[in-house]
């Protein structure tokens, strides 16, 4: 029976890491006698990442490479890696070695013992600023509520059985959130804790802007809560309207008609801005629907090396 472990490594501007990562992982796999393949997905890097991948492919027959035509983002890179993976199980990990490769062995052994989804859970969240921590906490709270799964320490570091990968790849949507969807598909799951390592070279690709985009994108993909909040506001406004309406009518009939210019202006501005905000939320969801119905591919490949179909 084939027991090959495919390891998917999304790589964006990681020229300094490719060689080190390949060597570290292959040493461990050889030592543990785990049949493996490494699938580097070059996500439109602007540096020499692709050349480094080609170089490793020449040196090591276990290396495969996929090159995107431009940067499509980590989620797309993961999808492409899963598409290319030929193994009986597939692990996804960062190619900056922040996900300790030793944990792969633990995950693989759990897979051998019959688990189909082995989730890497962050033992600690690593070094982060308090503000970042606060945002991350809120974000994960919303996502956890929407999915019913505790996501606060979830990561993209996972090992999935072939059956699970096939189900994941069947999902028709363009906007995927691997971290949550791998739990969503179900199957026999277990967890492995790992410590997030320090990045050895290169730098994190996250900026504040990209994090906000990521959060909004994934919340909208998993939850209709923002639209429910709009409904909630509508309801509150209605209650206030009834009370104020009764009060105004009472004043009118009792001959104390309100002067209230300020009140009118404030109400107008307030209601106006809430309306705009609500329209924005709805517009956002519509734009997401629009993106999905266009049915564009998750990514475009410009080159593949090391694959059997080559
Ligand atoms: N990555 C990617 N495409 C992107 C951004 C990042 O494939 O557009 C990869 C990156 O090369 C790395 C992983 O995703 O292997 C995690 O990225 P990073 O280390 O920047 O995130 P952090 O570890 O800081 O959360
Ligand atoms: Mg990293």
């Amino acid at each position: 029976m084939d027991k090959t472990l495919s390891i998917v490594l999304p790589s964006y501007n990681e020229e300094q890491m490719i060689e080190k990562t390949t060597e570290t992982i292959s040493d461990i796999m050889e030592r543990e006698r785990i049949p493996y393949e490494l699938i580097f997905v070059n996500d439109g890097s602007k540096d020499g990442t692709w050349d480094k991948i080609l170089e490793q492919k020449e040196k090591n027959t276990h290396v495969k490479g996929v090159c995107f035509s431009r940067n499509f983002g980590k989620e797309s890179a993961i999808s492409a890696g899963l598409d290319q993976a030929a193994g009986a199980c597939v692990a996804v990990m960062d190619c900056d070695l922040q996900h300790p490769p030793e944990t792969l062995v633990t995950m693989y052994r759990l897979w051998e013992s019959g688990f189909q989804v082995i989730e890497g859970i962050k033992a600690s969240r690593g070094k982060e600023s308090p503000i970042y921590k606060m945002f991350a906490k809120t974000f994960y709270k919303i996502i956890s509520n929407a999915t019913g799964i505790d996501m606060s320490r979830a990561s993209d570091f996972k090992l999935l059985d072939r059956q699970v990968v096939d189900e994941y790849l069947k999902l028709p949507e363009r906007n995927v959130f691997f971290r949550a969807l791998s739990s969503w598909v179900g199957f026999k799951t277990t967890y492995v804790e790992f410590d997030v390592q320090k990045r050895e070279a290169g730098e994190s690709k996250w900026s504040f802007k990209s994090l906000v985009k990521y959060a909004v994108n994934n919340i909208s993909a998993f939850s209709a809560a923002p639209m429910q909040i709009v409904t909630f506001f509508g309801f509150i406004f209605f209650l206030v309207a009834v009370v104020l309406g009764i009060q105004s009518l009472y004043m009118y009939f009792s001959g104390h008609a309100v002067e209230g210019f300020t009140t009118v202006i404030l109400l107008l501005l307030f209601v106006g801005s809430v309306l705009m905000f609500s329209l924005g939320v709805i517009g956002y969801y519509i734009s997401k629907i629009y993106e999905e119905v266009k049915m564009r591919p998750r990514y475009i490949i410009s080159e593949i090396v090391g694959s059997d179909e080559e």
Side-chain angles (χ1 to χ4, degrees):
M1 200 187 97
D2 178 35
K3 287 180 71 182
T4 306
L5 165 63
S6 302
I7 304 165
V8 172
L9 301 139
S11 325
Y12 178 55
N13 296 348
E14 303 281 7
E15 60 179 1
Q16 289 163 290
M17 291 308 300
I18 303 290
E19 183 174 358
K20 174 109 202 268
T21 304
T22 311
E23 281 170 5
T24 315
I25 298 178
S26 35
D27 285 351
I28 293 174
M29 293 297 132
E30 308 286 350
R31 189 192 73 205
E32 298 288 330
R33 296 177 191 289
I34 299 176
Y36 72 102
E37 61 172 2
L38 290 176
I39 306 169
F40 284 100
V41 183
N42 172 31
D43 184 11
S45 302
K46 292 180 181 62
D47 63 1
T49 303
W50 184 238
D51 294 332
K52 294 279 176 196
I53 295 172
L54 293 177
E55 204 179 289
Q56 289 309 309
K57 191 234 150 198
E58 291 310 316
K59 278 198 216 159
N60 185 331
T61 50
H62 299 274
V63 174
K64 284 184 184 180
V66 178
C67 186
F68 279 1
S69 59
R70 63 167 170 88
N71 179 258
F72 280 91
K74 188 181 177 187
E75 295 291 339
S76 298
I78 292 175
S79 292
L82 294 177
D83 272 328
Q84 293 302 321
C89 60
V90 187
V92 174
M93 68 189 287
D94 286 1
C95 86
D96 53 10
L97 292 180
Q98 283 192 290
H99 296 157
E102 292 288 346
T103 309
L104 273 180
V105 179
T106 321
M107 290 179 159
Y108 187 78
R109 300 289 174 229
L110 284 164
W111 173 75
E112 284 183 314
S113 73
F115 288 101
Q116 288 179 290
V117 178
I118 296 105
E119 304 258 2
I121 298 286
K122 293 177 190 158
S124 61
R125 287 202 46 101
K127 263 213 191 112
E128 286 160 353
S129 74
I131 300 202
Y132 180 86
K133 273 212 170 104
M134 195 189 80
F135 274 116
K137 219 174 135 182
T138 320
F139 169 63
Y140 283 114
K141 210 167 172 174
I142 299 175
I143 293 281
S144 304
N145 272 339
T147 54
I149 309 154
D150 177 19
M151 295 283 304
S152 58
R153 293 193 293 144
S155 70
D156 286 333
F157 187 24
K158 307 170 191 274
L159 190 148
L160 309 176
D161 182 69
R162 165 68 27 206
Q163 196 185 358
V164 183
V165 173
D166 289 343
E167 290 304 329
Y168 181 80
L169 291 175
K170 270 191 226 154
L171 298 177
E173 63 235 59
R174 311 291 109 194
N175 181 18
V176 280
F177 184 30
F178 180 65
R179 204 170 282 203
L181 282 175
S182 65
S183 317
W184 180 89
V185 290
F187 294 102
K188 198 172 166 208
T189 304
T190 186
Y191 302 88
V192 173
E193 286 208 352
F194 71 93
D195 285 308
V196 180
Q197 308 295 308
K198 268 228 315 277
R199 187 181 248 283
E200 296 193 17
E203 52 194 38
S204 174
K205 309 304 176 305
W206 292 104
S207 62
F208 181 70
K209 199 178 134 205
S210 63
L211 277 174
V212 171
K213 214 173 131 194
Y214 180 81
V216 172
N217 195 10
N218 290 318
I219 289 173
S220 67
F222 261 94
S223 153
M227 295 220 257
Q228 283 150 4
I229 294 171
V230 169
T231 317
F232 175 75
F233 266 109
F235 182 68
I236 298 286
F237 274 27
F238 176 70
L239 289 186
V240 175
V242 169
V243 174
L244 280 180
I246 293 175
Q247 192 231 19
S248 307
L249 284 177
Y250 174 79
M251 300 283 251
Y252 180 74
F253 285 115
S254 60
H256 307 87
V258 210
E259 290 174 34
F261 179 69
T262 319
T263 324
V264 172
I265 287 290
L266 285 180
L267 273 178
L268 262 178
L269 289 176
F270 188 59
V271 173
S273 50
V274 171
L275 273 180
M276 297 269 214
F277 177 78
S278 316
L279 274 179
V281 171
I282 296 166
Y284 188 79
Y285 276 91
I286 295 179
S287 72
K288 290 281 140 193
I289 298 172
Y290 181 51
E291 261 169 40
E292 294 290 342
V293 294
K294 278 190 288 191
M295 300 274 277
R296 291 202 179 142
R298 283 184 204 167
Y299 56 84
I300 295 170
I301 294 178
S302 63
E303 204 178 335
I304 296 187
V305 292
S307 160
D308 312 329
E309 298 138 44
E310 208 182 337

